[in-house]
C-alpha cells in the first residue's frame, strides 16, 4: 500500500495536478505523465505536459505514480432510504424502528449520504425515487464542494398496490396510475414538486391488466415529455421493460432479470438511446442483510476507506432484536431457503448475460447501485458494483466510462462533468493503483476533488464516518 502523496494547503486559485496517469473517462488510453490544470471550480486543461502548460502562479501538486480519473457517478440511489432494513415502511423492523422517526432523520440530514458518497469517490448521484423533499437536493448540493451533484425524481408513480408502503402521503408518497387519466395527473404532480424526472415503478401485471397499464405508462411518458422531464422506469421483467421502451423511457433503472433480453428489446433500446442501468449487487446485498438477522451475525461492511457513518454501522450490528420479526420460513424451512438461493443465483446469471448483450449491441450503460437498500450502503457499495460489471466481462476501461461519462449522461450533465476536459467542473479522483488494469483500484482512492477543492481521504472519512 502506497502512502498518499503529500499535498500542500489549498490556497492558490490555480492548481495543477502533475505527473499522474490521466484517465479521462472517454475510454481513451491513459495519458502517462499527464497534467490537469484547475482554475477555481473548473478544469482548464487535461492532457500531456506539452498540451497543458502549467501557469506560473499555479500550486503544483505532484501526483506522479498516481492515477487521475473523473469522479464516479452512481446513477441509482435513494436519499430517503437508510442502507439497512429500517429504510422502508414495509420492512420487518416497524416495531424496532418506527418509520416516521426514520423518515424524519433522513430528511434532517441528507448530508450524511452526500459525505459518504464523496468519501467513496462518488461526485454525482441520480436519486431515482424518494420523498418529496429529495427534489430540493439538487439545488442545495450543486455548489457545495463537500457534497455531490444530485438529480432527483421524487415520488414514484405506480399501479402496484402495496398497503404497507402507503404510510403517510406527506412522507412516502406513491402516486397512482390506475388509468391513463390518473397517470397523467400523477405525472403533473411530480413535475409540480420540482422533480428532475418522472419515475414509474412498473411491476409485472397479469395479461388482462397489461394493455391498460401499458397505456397508463405511455401516458406518463407523454405527460413527462410535455413537462420537459425524462421518463425513467423500474421494470425488471422483459415484457415490462419493452413497454417502458415503447413509452419512451430515457433510463431503465435496473437490469432485466427474469429472462434473457432479445433482439426486439436490444433494437428498441439502442434506437431510442435509452440508458440501461443494471443493478447487479443489490439483490445479493438484501440476502446478506436478511442472512445476518437469521444467523444473528452482523454482516461485514465493505468500506475500505471508513466512509460509513457510526449510526449505520451500529444498526447493521444490531441483528438480535430483529430476529423475532423474521419470516419464520427463513428460520425453519430449509427447502424454501434453498429455492430462494437458487432463484437468486439464476437471476444474477441472467443479469450478467443481459449486461453483456446490451453492451455488445451498443447500448448505453450507466453504473448504478440502488444505494439505500439493505446493505447497499450509500457510497462504498459502488466498488462491488464496478467489480461485478468487470466480472461479467466488460473491460476495466469500459467500466470506467460507464461509471463516469455515462453516469453524467444519465443525469443529463455530460456538458458539466463525467470526463476530464477543459471547461468541465473539476470533480476528479486521485487513485493509488491503476483502474484500467482492474477496477478494484477505485478502492485505493487517496484524494477526491469536488468543484476544484481537493479533499484527502482522512478529511473525508472524518466528515462522513463521525456520526
Ligand atoms: Zn431503487
Amino acid at each position: 500500500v502506497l502512502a498518499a502523496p503529500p499535498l500542500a494547503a489549498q490556497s492558490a486559485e490555480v492548481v495543477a495536478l502533475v505527473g499522474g496517469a490521466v484517465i479521462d473517462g472517454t475510454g481513451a488510453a491513459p495519458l502517462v505523465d499527464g497534467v490537469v490544470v484547475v482554475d477555481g471550480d473548473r478544469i482548464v486543461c487535461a492532457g500531456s505536459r506539452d498540451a497543458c502548460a502549467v501557469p506560473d502562479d499555479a500550486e503544483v501538486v505532484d501526483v506522479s505514480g498516481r492515477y487521475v480519473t473523473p469522479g464516479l457517478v452512481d446513477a441509482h440511489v435513494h436519499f430517503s432510504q437508510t442502507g439497512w432494513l429500517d429504510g422502508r415502511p414495509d420492512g420487518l423492523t416497524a416495531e424496532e424502528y418506527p418509520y416516521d422517526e426514520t423518515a424524519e432523520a433522513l430528511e434532517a440530514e441528507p448530508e450524511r449520504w452526500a459525505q459518504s458518497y464523496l468519501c467513496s469517490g462518488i461526485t454525482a448521484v441520480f436519486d431515482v425515487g424518494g420523498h418529496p423533499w429529495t427534489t430540493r437536493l439538487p439545488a442545495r448540493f450543486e455548489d457545495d464542494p463537500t457534497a455531490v451533484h444530485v438529480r432527483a425524481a421524487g415520488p414514484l408513480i405506480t399501479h402496484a398496490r402495496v398497503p404497507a408502503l402507503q404510510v403517510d402521503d406527506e412522507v412516502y408518497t406513491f402516486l397512482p396510475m390506475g388509468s391513463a387519466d390518473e397517470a397523467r395527473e400523477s405525472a403533473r404532480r411530480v413535475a409540480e414538486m420540482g422533480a428532475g424526472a418522472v419515475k414509474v415503478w412498473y411491476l409485472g401485471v397479469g395479461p388482462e391488466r397489461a394493455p391498460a397499464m401499458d397505456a397508463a405508462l405511455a401516458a406518463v411518458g407523454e405527460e413527462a415529455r410535455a413537462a420537459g422531464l425524462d421518463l425513467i422506469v423500474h421494470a425488471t421483467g422483459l415484457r415490462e421493460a419493452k413497454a417502458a421502451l415503447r413509452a419512451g423511457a430515457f433510463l431503465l433503472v435496473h437490469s432485466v432479470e427474469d429472462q434473457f433480453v432479445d433482439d426486439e428489446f436490444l433494437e428498441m433500446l439502442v434506437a431510442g438511446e435509452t440508458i440501461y442501468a443494471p443493478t447487479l449487487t443489490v439483490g445479493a446485498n438484501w440476502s446478506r442483510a436478511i442472512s445476518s438477522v437469521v444467523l444473528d451475525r452482523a454482516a461485514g461492511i465493505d468500506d475500505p476507506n471508513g466512509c460509513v457513518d457510526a449510526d449505520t454501522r451500529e444498526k447493521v450490528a444490531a441483528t438480535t432484536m430483529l430476529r423475532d420479526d423474521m419470516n419464520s420460513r427463513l428460520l425453519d424451512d430449509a427447502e424454501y431457503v434453498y429455492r430462494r438461493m437458487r432463484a437468486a443465483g439464476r437471476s444474477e446469471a441472467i443479469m450478467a448475460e443481459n449486461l453483456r448483450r446490451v453492451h455488445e449491441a451498443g447500448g448505453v450503460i450507466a453504473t448504478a447501485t440502488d444505494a439505500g437498500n439493505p446493505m447497499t450502503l450509500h457510497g462504498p457499495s459502488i466498488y462491488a458494483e464496478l467489480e461485478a460489471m468487470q466480472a461479467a466481462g466488460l473491460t476495466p476501461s469500459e467500466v470506467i466510462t460507464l461509471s463516469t461519462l455515462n453516469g453524467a449522461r444519465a443525469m443529463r450533465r455530460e456538458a458539466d462533468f463525467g470526463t476530464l476536459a477543459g471547461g468541465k467542473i473539476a470533480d476528479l479522483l486521485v487513485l493509488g493503483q491503476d483502474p484500467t488494469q482492474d477496477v478494484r483500484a477505485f478502492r485505493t482512492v487517496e484524494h477526491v476533488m469536488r468543484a476544484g477543492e481537493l479533499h484527502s481521504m482522512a478529511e473525508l472519512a472524518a466528515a462522513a464516518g463521525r456520526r
Side-chain angles (χ1 to χ4, degrees), residues 76-78 81 88 128-129 199 201 234 253-254 279 282 369-371 373:
H76 186 149
V77 307
H78 299 284
Q81 291 180 224
R88 277 167 53 150
V128 300
K199 159 90 171 280
W201 200 39
H234 165 124
V253 302
H254 287 287
T279 49
V282 65
T369 63
D370 210 353
N373 277 289

Side-chain angles (χ1 to χ4, degrees), residues 54 63 97 115-116 123 144 151 160 162 204 210 213 250 319 330 400 410 413 432:
V54 176
V63 291
Y97 301 109
Q115 288 172 347
S116 120
T123 52
D144 180 351
R151 185 181 190 190
V162 186
M213 290 305 96
F250 169 75
T319 53
L330 290 170
I400 294 168
R413 296 294 304 274

